[in-house]
Amino acid sequence: MRVIPFRVAVAVGLISAAVLAQQVLLTRMLSAVLFYHFTFLAISLALLGTGVGGVLVFVRPHWFDRRPLTSTLGLWSLAFGIVLVVSPTVLVRLDYTYNNSITAGFAVGFILACLISLVAFAAAGIAIALVIRGYAPVVGKVYAFDLVGAGVGAALVVPLMWVVSAPTGTVVLGVAGGVAAGLFAWPSVPIRRVALGVVVLGVVGTVLSTSTGLNYLPSPYFVGVKPLGDQWTPLDRVLSYAPPHPKRSPFGFLFYDRVYAPIPIHHRGTPYPNWKALQTVPESIGLTVAHHGNVLVIGGGGGRDIYDALSSGFRHVDVIELNTAIVDMIDTTDGSFSGSPYTAPGVHTVVGDGRSILASRSTRYNEIHIGFTDTLSGSSADAFALTENNLYTVQAFNEYYDHLKPGGILSVTRQYRLVGDEGLRATVLTLQTLEDRGIRDPGRNVVVLTGYDQFGAVACTVLSQLTPFTPAELSEIRTLAAQRKASVVSMPGGPYRLQWAQLHKATNLGAFCTTYKFNVCPSTDDNPFFFNMTRLSGVFQTLPKSYLYTIQPFTLLTFTVGVLLVLSLIGFSVPLAMMDPRSRPPTRRLVYFAAIGVGFLTLEVTLIQRFVLFLGFPTYALTVVLCSLLVFTGIGAWWSSRWRDPGRALAIDLGVLIALMGVSSYLLQPLLGDWIGLPFVARVLISLVMLAPFGVCMGMVMPIGLRRLTDDYDGALPWAWSVNGFASVFGAAAGIFVAIEWGYAVATLVALGCYVVVAAEVVATRWGRARGARPQRPAVAERTRSGVPV
């Protein structure tokens, strides 16, 4: 048919919105119990489900032709809604625990979670594939509603996550599945009634999920102990616990996903706890040496760094905290024992991204203090981004130095060893930044200290300034280190101990970091993965027991990719074995859709990460970047049907898109860096202007290709759709791998290469004059029971 009913179009948008929102919620759920390396898993599962749905519709069309099209759409939407309502009850009861190794139990639970989620995404994928097949003449409009719906889902899931937990949000999305089923199958009264039942089931499930423990996801910490506070946000799940042993260890605990921060016990009106009570041995020394004035604390955590600054004599403390839930939890929920550090006298707290807020300020500080500010959890708000990694780049350190007063100190504290030599990499990063600023002998400006924290782990603090440390300052640091039992491992004139001795002997930083056993080369905004120090050659090596996490991050990532690829091969190859190879389009014609899948997802991953820093808050990356990118892609898909000469339109479109990618690969990041200090509204408008051409151009490629394919191979649209879905799974994983290993500029060039392949395929098949083209399957209308899609 050449017209898609409005109710069907709206239902398509609803399904797509629910699928996109479920990707985010599933990511949020898994990152609450796993590490950040699983952040791309949910979108990969969604794409895999799309591929499975498309290939099933193509290979076994008679399975879906026993009823009128809209009735079949209604039934699969019902399946999608029911699985969403029921699946959280199962997912929260799986065992996701592992002790620094991938055990058989963890693997089984993890794969089961993937399969359960895949069922829901596959049901939605079948529904979308059926719509595309049934309304092939207007596939551009169908694709447009699909993308715009996904964009709306990206926008709405953020406020949803402020209100309910991720498991409860999944149940809420089941209601959308029921509504879509009713719209699809409106002429069928029985299906409409069942759809109403699913809506009611979703509403009841939501009430039970919020008022009972039905869908409560247990914390991997303090098993059996009820937390004082438990709040889900788009960034993290934040939990707080009262001090378990106040007399032996005067700390409560704050957990945000898989990261923790100690909460010092303090009561208003009493002296602030000092470095000894806080057990901040090396990081407290910089606060003492710095001239008392004002200090900036990036990442207040549980309040320990704030109290450290106040007890060191600072009377003006600025704090930038990424998550408002952390501030609320510490100051309100835990206020009875925490002393509410974020609102203590002289403390001024702002919620947002540290670099973006700092770039918008002209204030200069006596010290900028960054103590253990990190995250090993996934930020579902930007889906693929490791947000705090943007704090540990050459460009970030330059920003910090620009905001120091003369003689001001930058103090950065990391673990000595965690998933690599973090303290050493922070040192190399500091030295490289100072060298880039024209300082000939940056070693004179850097002091490195180590000391034990309250858990017996070794912390490493790197102190630096733009001028060499004076003899008096070095003497004071030595005295304080001796008094507080900290070790000096690197100081102008010595001593140089441990790995820092090897660093001191190196002829230059480049030679040292490229030959060291870990990748400790300076991270940049183009490659901000500070915490990943594993080279490809060491992916499957286990770290020594002296490291806190003996399983490599890359190993977990590789395991996840392996599971996805196996599922993809099963979902793709098994249906293929069920059909005659002669009944599907030739492989060369499907390269077009595979290349789109890899290229689109690789570019999406890259753009999301790059705009997170620019917009200043990870949530905005989802709301602004992903939403606008999808909406503009939908506009491009709609616009593609307006061209009288689709071949010429495709040629122009691909040329513009390839040029955009080439220019943006190396120019986009510097531009965003120059404009990061603009007002937020201006940055949003700039983002929209920059993203619009990418979205419109990418939106035109897919529907034009689908119409071109259906002209030559009738009935092949679901097959092409599935190829695109499976390739997108690879694209999501490949984008992460390429970005981690070679940076976002190279990842953009990989996406560019994919669209060059698309252009080459168009030229090779000679648009409009494909030889040997023939109808491969009966017309769609002939395969429906009623003769015409309804």
Side-chain angles (χ1 to χ4, degrees), residues 602-603 606 661-663 665-666 744-754 756:
T602 302
L603 184 63
T606 306
M661 291 184 183
V663 172
S665 60
Y666 290 101
Y744 287 107
V746 175
T748 303
L749 293 177
V750 169
L752 183 153
C754 291
V756 169

Side-chain angles (χ1 to χ4, degrees), residues 251-484:
F251 294 99
F253 290 94
L254 178 79
F255 293 94
Y256 36 108
D257 288 350
R258 295 284 293 191
V259 184
Y260 72 88
I263 309 173
I265 296 178
H266 172 65
H267 300 286
R268 286 285 178 99
T270 63
Y272 294 118
N274 61 13
W275 66 270
K276 190 171 185 178
L278 297 169
Q279 300 181 40
T280 54
V281 175
E283 58 263 45
S284 66
I285 293 176
L287 290 167
T288 304
V289 173
H291 301 294
H292 298 166
N294 60 341
V295 61
L296 172 64
V297 175
I298 299 180
R304 196 166 63 153
D305 291 337
I306 299 173
Y307 286 139
D308 205 356
L310 291 170
S311 63
S312 297
F314 285 94
R315 293 295 174 261
H316 186 100
V317 180
D318 285 347
V319 181
I320 303 176
E321 182 60 69
L322 186 66
N323 194 342
T324 187
I326 293 177
V327 177
D328 295 340
M329 195 77 74
I330 295 295
D331 270 26
T332 304
T333 306
D334 304 329
S336 60
F337 68 87
S338 71
S340 303
Y342 287 98
T343 53
V347 177
H348 308 275
T349 301
V350 176
V351 174
D353 175 77
R355 283 184 61 186
S356 298
I357 292 177
L358 184 60
S360 66
R361 292 178 174 176
S362 59
T363 310
R364 293 182 180 270
Y365 296 94
N366 296 88
E367 176 167 330
I368 294 178
H369 187 91
I370 306 174
F372 301 105
T373 305
D374 62 10
T375 176
L376 297 180
S377 60
S379 173
S380 66
D382 55 337
F384 303 104
L386 314 180
T387 55
E388 273 89 357
N389 283 17
N390 288 320
L391 295 176
Y392 303 103
T393 68
V394 171
Q395 292 81 2
F397 276 42
N398 268 310
E399 191 73 57
Y400 306 147
Y401 288 130
D402 288 342
H403 285 80
L404 287 177
K405 292 180 179 179
I409 292 177
L410 171 63
S411 174
V412 178
T413 301
R414 298 297 321 154
Q415 291 286 356
Y416 169 54
R417 286 177 169 175
L418 191 67
V419 292
D421 291 354
E422 292 188 10
L424 182 63
R425 190 170 199 182
T427 306
V428 173
L429 177 58
T430 301
L431 292 169
Q432 184 65 62
T433 307
L434 292 172
E435 188 175 289
D436 291 347
R437 295 178 72 96
I439 297 175
R440 292 185 179 180
D441 186 7
R444 297 183 303 160
N445 303 43
V446 179
V447 174
V448 184
L449 307 163
T450 62
Y452 290 98
D453 63 14
Q454 72 270 27
F455 299 108
V458 180
C460 180
T461 297
V462 181
L463 302 177
S464 62
Q465 53 187 20
L466 292 176
T467 55
F469 282 99
T470 65
E473 290 172 329
L474 294 176
S475 176
E476 184 180 7
I477 291 173
R478 290 192 192 94
T479 300
L480 290 170
Q483 292 174 348
R484 302 181 183 186

Side-chain angles (χ1 to χ4, degrees), residues 730-785:
F730 176 77
I736 292 293
F737 267 115
V738 172
I740 289 176
E741 191 64 20
W742 295 288
Y744 287 107
V746 175
T748 303
L749 293 177
V750 169
L752 183 153
C754 291
Y755 281 95
V756 169
V757 171
V758 172
E761 195 279 332
V762 172
V763 173
T765 54
R766 303 174 65 189
W767 171 271
R769 292 181 291 153
R771 296 179 179 178
R774 63 190 185 280
Q776 296 294 319
R777 304 192 64 82
V780 173
E782 296 174 2
R783 297 200 308 270
T784 59
R785 171 172 288 189

